Amino acid sequence: MMGSVLPPRVDDAPQPAIAPAARALTEAMAAIYGRGWCDGTGGNFSCVLQQEPLRLLMAPSGVHKGAVAPEALIEVDGQGTVVRGSGKASAETALHLAIVKQCQAGAVLHTHSQAGTLLSQWGLAQGHLELRDLEMLKGLSGITTHACSVQLPVLANDQNLQRLSSLAAPLLPQAPQGLLIAGHGLYAWGDTLPNAMRHLEILEFLLEQHWRQLLLRAVAPPPCT
């Protein structure tokens, strides 16, 4: 006798509304990979599908982020449990969720660029990295003049992501849409995926500029006035 066919789980049912978000997220990941900011299987990226109950669309752990197909993305709930898809959620999901919940972010983008990794180690002792007096600062939400400075928080890396997320939580409200994890890289976010991409590009530019300024000062001190 043939076995009975079980009905599909609700979470396994097709959801066409996810398709545009999945395409947008995978296109963003491919663009970020093309900039050299998530080599190998580095980085992780998410966007909010819905707030109540919270659902994130994410890249699964351990995959090449420059070549992820939209259908390979996973969906996780507010506790980081995979509710759709066959991939595994990254341990870093905990920090994505903390940023989404505390900053009302619609997308979180985590990169492993050379500049971000280098400066995250350099700035750890101070606990922040100051970025100032550059026109590109105006690309960050809420900034309207180059004549200002922002402090990008820097936290020590920790394989316990729940503990790291708890340490990050009090710093998030004042953070300039980003923070650094020492020896690890940058987290950037925005209320939408396009705004998160803009903040990521601006912060990566500012980080690149900052280490070049440090190098320039070391090899060619500014002329005396």
Side-chain angles (χ1 to χ4, degrees), residues 9-216:
R9 292 188 302 129
V10 171
D11 283 337
D12 288 337
Q15 287 192 333
I18 293 176
R23 283 195 300 271
L25 186 58
T26 54
E27 288 170 2
M29 290 191 291
I32 291 166
Y33 171 77
R35 302 290 293 268
W37 295 340
C38 61
D39 290 336
T41 60
N44 214 305
F45 310 94
S46 68
C47 64
V48 175
L49 286 175
Q50 64 181 48
Q51 286 287 353
E52 294 293 340
L54 183 59
R55 293 287 188 269
L56 294 187
L57 190 65
M58 302 190 72
S61 179
V63 301
H64 189 295
K65 306 307 187 300
V68 180
E71 59 270 19
L73 298 178
I74 59 173
E75 187 178 336
V76 303
D77 64 15
Q79 287 70 51
T81 301
V82 177
V83 296
R84 187 185 308 279
S86 58
K88 178 183 177 182
S90 167
E92 295 160 0
T93 302
L95 190 47
H96 284 247
L97 288 167
I99 293 168
V100 166
K101 293 173 182 177
Q102 190 134 355
C103 303
Q104 292 75 53
V108 181
L109 309 173
H110 168 46
T111 55
H112 290 193
S113 70
Q114 289 283 351
T117 305
L118 177 71
L119 288 172
S120 65
Q121 293 177 305
W122 184 83
L124 178 60
Q126 285 184 287
H128 68 269
L129 196 67
E130 186 178 26
L131 306 169
R132 62 181 304 126
D133 300 329
L134 290 168
E135 185 71 13
M136 288 289 274
L137 284 163
K138 290 162 59 179
L140 299 175
S141 293
I143 295 180
T144 59
T145 176
H146 72 282
C148 67
S149 68
V150 300
Q151 291 191 347
L152 195 62
V154 183
L155 291 172
N157 199 9
D158 192 335
Q159 297 304 303
N160 184 326
L161 268 295
Q162 293 294 341
R163 182 166 57 207
L164 181 59
S165 299
S166 296
L167 291 173
L171 305 176
L172 294 175
Q174 301 304 317
Q177 290 86 44
L179 65 83
L180 288 167
I181 305 299
H184 194 169
L186 173 69
Y187 282 81
W189 57 88
D191 57 350
T192 65
L193 179 56
N195 284 340
M197 278 291 289
R198 172 168 57 88
H199 292 150
L200 175 66
E201 290 172 353
I202 293 295
L203 289 169
E204 287 286 5
F205 173 91
L206 294 170
L207 292 171
E208 181 82 12
Q209 180 74 9
H210 194 72
W211 83 258
R212 288 174 183 264
Q213 287 177 340
L214 293 172
L215 183 61
L216 183 61

